[in-house]
Amino acid sequence: MTIQILMPALSPTMTEGNLAKWLKKEGDAVKSGDVIAEIETDKATMEVEAADEGRLGKILVQAGTQGVAVNTPIAVLLEEGEDDSALAKAAAPVPAAAPAAAPAPAASAPAPAAAPAPQAAAAPAPAAQGGGRVFASPLARRLAEQAGLDLKAVKGTGPNGRIVKADIEAAKAGGTAKAAAPQAAAQAPTAAPAAAPAAAAPAPKAAGIDAKDLSDKLGMRYKAQPNSSMRKTISRRLTEVQQTVPDYFLAIDCELDALLKVRADLNARSKDYKLSVNDFIIRAAALTLKKFPNINAAWSEEAILRYDHVDISVAVATPTGLITPIVKKAETKGLAEISNEMKGLAERARDGKLKPEEYQGGTFSISNLGMYGIREFAAIINPPQACIMAVGAGEQRPVVKNGALAIATVMTVSVTVDHRVADGAQGAEFLAAFKKLIEDPLSMLL
């Protein structure tokens, strides 16, 4: 039995991805665990490992293809003993899936809907797509078919819940998961069309002036740079925030001279770390957030979620766009640990090698543009978080101390806060407590 390799969901929120590169070519032997392709998600490029063994019989989606929906067949794997003649039957349903995925008038829906039915009847996994794809090894599928077991009723104990031989044998011994094969086949035609309209829904057109349409009408010359998945995600999320989150902005000036002295002293003590001002900012924010759980929170319609730990998302600029790797449980980490962890995260972010768990989540964000000489700016909240901190450059400014004019290194820090979660006075108290730690850096070491 041939095995279809599907576009994987590499994160809980992934609905589509770009097939960046094939690392195996047609005819190559494939072992379980082999890296066969690279998939570009909305935030990173990730390697895809094979779950089964066999020979790569046919590549259905070519390298460079964009917007491939999750669970779309991208290749066909031949099992041991199978030759290329098996590909004709396996690959036949794939072209029929294209019309179902494309937006089409309601009247033409029945014709393409009928095509996936043979595929659903032939293999249990596609038949279950309407209620969730069943992951099982080829051997487990054969044993289940012979025993008349319904795979949807079998609990998998393999990797990621995959059904393996032992699960089928346990189900047979327990007398569970019995189901007639005709019943499963009968359900398949209804399951396949049900999934088609969801995939066919076109993306809503952005409100406002269509720049391309206007430029074409006015004869303005331009070069069109296709939007990457990351760029589209940034656009969607930030537009959502601007439309749905009632926020406010606060700013405060922090003197850095004492912090710069402590930083220099600590860096001179060891070569195992090299602390940056941003490391101190992350540490100070984490400690302050533990004192202000109403800021380390998120809004939901049922309740305000106050998080147990401080997971700080730190904005990193990459060639393809902004990404926010996370320093998790930052309140439990010292300056050296934060510094070394952040260096590794930033490097992997720029190389597009972050794992989903390294950038998904977070309870608070920090964006620092000080290295560009930006004195002050207001950042956009990173949903569903309730607050983001914007850090400007440290620069020498005139200040008044004890009634006399003096010069100090001053950094302006601002926060954007979701008013549904924290009121203005709470935001101001948080920022004042943060300033106190920055100006008394030794207290961070206690």
Side-chain angles (χ1 to χ4, degrees), residues 38-49:
E38 290 184 355
I39 303 296
E40 178 189 302
T41 70
D42 56 353
K43 291 293 185 182
T45 300
M46 304 187 65
E47 296 177 338
V48 176
E49 295 183 356

Side-chain angles (χ1 to χ4, degrees), residues 157-182:
T157 60
N160 299 317
R162 186 179 181 81
I163 299 172
V164 294
K165 176 183 176 183
D167 301 321
I168 300 299
E169 292 176 343
K172 287 166 61 179
T176 60
K178 285 285 182 180

Side-chain angles (χ1 to χ4, degrees), residues 255-263 438-441:
E255 293 187 16
L256 289 180
D257 296 288
L259 186 150
L260 294 175
K261 184 178 184 306
V262 170
R263 170 177 171 258
I438 290 293
E439 295 186 345
D440 183 16

